[in-house]
Amino acid sequence: MLPDPVPRFAPAARTPATASDAMIAAAAAEHHIVAKLVQDGVLHHVGLAALRRESELMGIPLVDLLQTNDVISESDVAKLYAEMSGLRFLDLTRRRPTRAWMMTLPENIARRKHCLVFGEVAGQLVAAVADPLDPSVTGALSARFNRPIQFVVSPRYQILEAVEEVYGTARAEGARAITRTPVSSAVVSSSSTGLNIIEEFDSVIDEAVDRRASDVHLEPEEDRIRVRMRIDGRLLEARAYPKDVASALISRVKVLANLDITERRLPQDGRFTRRSFDQQIDIRVAVIPTVRGERVTLRLLSQDRSRLTLETLGMGAELRQAFERLIHRPYGIVLLTGPTGSGKTTTLYAALQCINSIDKHIITIEDPVEYHIAGVNQVPVDAQHGVGFAHALRSILRHDPDVIMVGEIRDEETAHLALEASLTGHLVFATLHTTSAVGAVTRLTDMGCEPYLVASAIVGVMAQRLVRRICSNCKRAYEANEIERDMLGIPRDRVGVKIYRGAGCSRCLRTGCHDRVGIYELVAFDAGLAKLVMRKRPTEDLQQYAIDHGAITLRDDAIAKVRDGLTTLEEALRVTMKTQ
């Protein structure tokens, strides 16, 4: 129970919250917080304008940015939310929630909505929430319990710490309990936890979505099956189950992906969709046998691509303008290069969104089609029926397209067709696996393309990578030392230079990083570079020419993002080390 005075009663929401409701509530909360800070003299109008510009550039809510810059703390934000909503502020470091009550709420809701069930007062539930003005939060709790709820407001980081502690312990205990329980082909349960495979697998997917994981790996070991998730480009162990659970868990995946559950000797691929929270998730499934059993990789693709724009990818204003000039060309080929998982396809989709209009006929060839774009004709590669990139591209040219996107150039025939299409009045986008932008020239000539064709067709190449973004919740400034100043190109006699890193918090899983941002190297082809290509000059000469004529390298762009406080110096060096 809560100490007196009892929190004021907030009636449960009875109607589903819409995205517009949440946006209106967020805007109102931001306005109230900013007005309060200006009124108290903590924030001035000049500084506010600069923070608003930074918020738009970084794609971070203004309230989060105010916390990052130590203008206001999370506790202060929670107190202002409580003041706005007429609710009570509750410090969870002084009054700890009861584990039994917390466990009445599924972990995925607690994590996603930043809320927890604290206890019960006079027959009514007491729930702590970080943002009481978000109708989706109160609506989720009301739909779950269907009874009057008293809401209190607690800092987000305190709620997440409590969730991590309580549910993490419960998962460990649940795994131990499963080992004492018989396993069937569909359900795994225990009297102490009531777990079953269907619910447990749903929980894995919800956790992956909540943590923004791109991949989930179910990996058999000698005495257990390990679940790892790739979050912001790095694999982290999420949970583990006893070996006896492996067969049932993998069978559940196969059933959802419409695979053969009796086949355990051959690799299988499939897909299925699932709604998690407010997102529709497309899940690609790959199953492969190993010496310890079947291994499963799940690739998660959110079908909500509302944020898929060039502005949100992390390009600087000057680079974005240069890239937009290339993608608005009437013909030619624009190439994106980088290793698998570097965001090339995402950038191409953003480019298509930018130029997509009623007067343009756009066709893509993809393996597979990852996201659906309204107004764009997307053709999937189907190798089993003889529809490869080259075959599809040859057919597409008979449909009179203005813009063609080739998901990946893998062979000489596809490369020749793409280059020739770009010289016959088509704008072509394509990707290549190379370490640098000018490396695309060498890759194409190695495939057998004539240098004169390459030089005539290419209008620009952009290499890219992804670096981890510093968590805005635990972002801290520190003074750069001499070595760091040298790497950043800052004179040694300049003291007091501040750069940033994440301290680690529950929001970023103690890593100090949350989400990723792109770094880019754009080379626009001019007459001088084309001459070097036709003379078959080595890649080093092409790279030097590009730098001498204003091209910014991947390392330079990464260092610039360190100066801007978007990523750490260690992360910039780690990602760009192999590109130098």
Side-chain angles (χ1 to χ4, degrees):
M1 294 181 61
L2 289 170
D4 290 332
V6 174
R8 280 164 279 185
F9 171 68
R14 295 300 179 190
T15 57
T18 64
S20 59
D21 292 335
M23 291 175 63
I24 292 171
E30 177 183 299
H31 177 76
H32 178 81
I33 290 172
V34 168
K36 180 70 173 175
L37 294 174
V38 172
Q39 178 184 340
D40 294 345
V42 177
L43 187 63
H44 301 285
H45 290 290
V46 175
L48 175 60
L51 287 170
R52 286 194 188 278
R53 287 195 298 272
E54 187 177 355
S55 171
E56 294 174 359
L57 175 65
M58 297 173 63
I60 297 174
L62 180 58
V63 173
D64 287 352
L65 198 59
L66 291 171
Q67 296 171 59
T68 300
N69 287 272
D70 296 324
V71 177
I72 188 172
S73 68
E74 277 205 35
S75 293
D76 292 333
V77 170
K79 289 174 182 176
L80 287 172
Y81 279 154
E83 177 185 311
M84 287 182 64
S85 56
L87 300 175
R88 180 181 173 185
F89 173 80
L90 180 63
D91 186 347
L92 295 181
T93 62
R94 297 186 176 184
R95 298 286 301 187
R96 301 297 294 175
T98 305
R99 174 182 171 179
W101 278 113
M102 282 189 62
M103 294 297 292
T104 61
L105 186 68
E107 179 184 1
N108 50 24
I109 296 178
R111 284 188 179 278
R112 186 72 170 183
K113 300 300 183 181
H114 302 139
C115 60
L116 57 81
V117 177
F118 189 91
E120 185 177 20
V121 172
Q124 298 175 343
L125 287 182
V126 177
V129 297
D131 185 0
L133 302 176
D134 185 347
S136 70
V137 177
T138 54
L141 288 166
S142 300
R144 174 70 184 178
F145 295 106
N146 194 29
R147 58 182 290 190
I149 302 174
Q150 294 186 26
F151 293 104
V152 296
V153 185
S154 298
R156 180 176 58 183
Y157 79 92
Q158 292 184 5
I159 292 175
L160 289 175
E161 286 178 350
V163 167
E164 187 70 31
E165 176 185 347
V166 170
Y167 291 96
T169 301
R171 279 201 305 271
E173 293 176 351
R176 287 195 295 271
I178 291 175
T179 61
R180 300 188 296 269
T181 306
V183 180
S184 70
S185 61
V187 177
V188 180
S189 64
S190 73
S191 58
S192 60
T193 64
L195 294 176
N196 65 63
I197 282 297
I198 294 176
E199 291 179 353
E200 199 63 25
F201 180 72
D202 289 348
S203 174
V204 169
I205 298 301
D206 285 340
E207 181 181 349
V209 172
D210 180 50
R211 295 187 172 187
R212 302 166 296 98
S214 59
D215 306 280
V216 177
H217 301 269
L218 308 180
E219 303 170 321
E221 296 185 345
E222 289 186 3
D223 59 346
R224 64 175 185 161
I225 181 168
R226 179 174 62 173
V227 180
R228 291 198 293 172
M229 298 179 183
R230 188 175 296 278
I231 301 171
D232 297 335
R234 289 195 171 184
L235 278 173
L236 300 174
E237 184 165 338
R239 56 178 77 178
Y241 296 103
K243 186 71 171 178
D244 292 343
V245 178
S247 177
L249 192 61
I250 292 172
S251 292
R252 175 60 180 165
V253 176
K254 289 181 175 180
V255 168
L256 291 172
N258 198 28
L259 302 179
D260 184 355
I261 63 173
T262 64
E263 178 57 71
R264 296 186 175 90
R265 296 171 297 176
L266 297 175
Q268 297 188 73
D269 296 323
R271 63 188 295 179
F272 64 94
T273 59
R274 184 180 181 278
R275 189 145 193 96
S276 179
F277 304 110
D278 54 351
Q279 300 181 58
Q280 190 73 15
I281 306 298
D282 189 11
I283 302 175
R284 309 287 168 79
V285 178
V287 183
I288 190 169
T290 72
V291 293
R292 294 194 179 108
E294 289 181 291
R295 184 192 191 282
V296 177
T297 297
L298 308 171
R299 187 181 183 197
L300 278 60
L301 299 168
S302 172
Q303 295 180 4
D304 177 15
R305 307 308 295 166
S306 59
R307 297 177 64 246
L308 197 64
T309 64
L310 294 176
E311 290 78 4
T312 60
L313 295 182
M315 294 184 191
E318 185 177 347
L319 184 141
R320 187 174 71 247
Q321 291 170 6
F323 185 63
E324 287 180 353
R325 285 194 293 270
L326 290 178
I327 65 177
H328 281 94
R329 294 278 293 266
Y331 58 86
I333 185 167
V334 178
L335 296 171
L336 268 76
T337 71
T340 301
S342 59
K344 301 185 299 297
T345 303
T346 299
T347 301
L348 283 182
Y349 276 124
L352 292 180
Q353 294 273 38
C354 182
I355 66 173
N356 190 13
S357 62
I358 193 66
D359 62 336
K360 278 191 173 66
H361 180 197
I362 303 174
I363 302 182
T364 73
I365 315 165
E366 305 173 58
D367 183 21
V369 175
E370 295 190 356
Y371 306 113
H372 298 283
I373 304 176
V376 175
N377 299 284
Q378 297 173 267
V379 178
V381 169
D382 188 354
Q384 290 183 348
H385 295 87
V387 183
F389 279 108
H391 184 275
L393 182 54
R394 193 179 293 107
S395 177
I396 279 172
L397 291 173
R398 294 193 286 269
H399 288 263
D400 189 30
D402 298 304
V403 181
I404 303 169
M405 185 188 104
V406 181
E408 183 183 345
I409 295 178
R410 299 174 179 172
D411 53 66
E412 180 183 354
E413 185 180 9
T414 305
H416 268 290
L417 287 170
L419 292 173
E420 290 171 357
S422 69
L423 293 174
T424 54
H426 304 90
L427 179 63
V428 180
F429 298 152
T431 70
L432 274 174
H433 288 275
T434 65
T435 58
S436 65
V438 296
V441 173
T442 305
R443 180 82 175 106
L444 289 172
T445 54
D446 286 347
M447 283 183 177
C449 299
E450 298 81 356
Y452 76 87
L453 185 61
V454 175
S456 303
I458 297 179
V459 296
V461 185
M462 186 162 72
Q464 71 176 80
R465 301 288 188 277
L466 295 175
V467 295
R468 296 189 300 163
R469 189 193 290 265
I470 299 173
C471 176
S472 61
N473 187 55
C474 60
K475 184 177 179 180
R476 299 291 182 267
Y478 69 98
E479 187 171 343
N481 59 36
E482 288 187 7
I483 297 177
E484 290 170 329
R485 287 201 297 269
D486 287 344
M487 291 182 175
L488 293 171
I490 299 169
R492 291 194 175 190
D493 57 354
R494 184 180 168 191
V495 297
V497 177
K498 300 289 186 181
I499 55 178
Y500 297 86
R501 61 177 163 229
C505 64
S506 55
R507 178 175 182 255
C508 63
L509 307 178
R510 308 296 173 187
T511 63
C513 297
H514 187 271
D515 209 351
R516 290 188 288 177
V517 64
I519 57 172
Y520 304 92
E521 176 180 295
L522 179 62
V523 175
F525 273 56
D526 58 14
L529 191 56
K531 288 180 180 178
L532 294 178
V533 174
M534 286 189 287
R535 292 173 185 169
K536 301 181 181 180
R537 299 295 291 272
T539 303
E540 293 78 10
D541 290 354
L542 303 181
Q543 182 77 8
Q544 190 58 54
Y545 178 92
I547 294 173
D548 292 342
H549 287 75
I552 297 175
T553 66
L554 285 168
R555 172 68 64 85
D556 292 337
D557 194 34
I559 293 299
K561 286 181 168 59
V562 174
R563 294 197 197 99
D564 293 339
L566 294 177
T567 191
T568 65
L569 183 58
E570 295 81 6
E571 181 71 4
L573 295 176
R574 179 186 69 83
V575 172
T576 61
M577 190 67 70
K578 295 181 180 180
T579 68
Q580 301 304 305

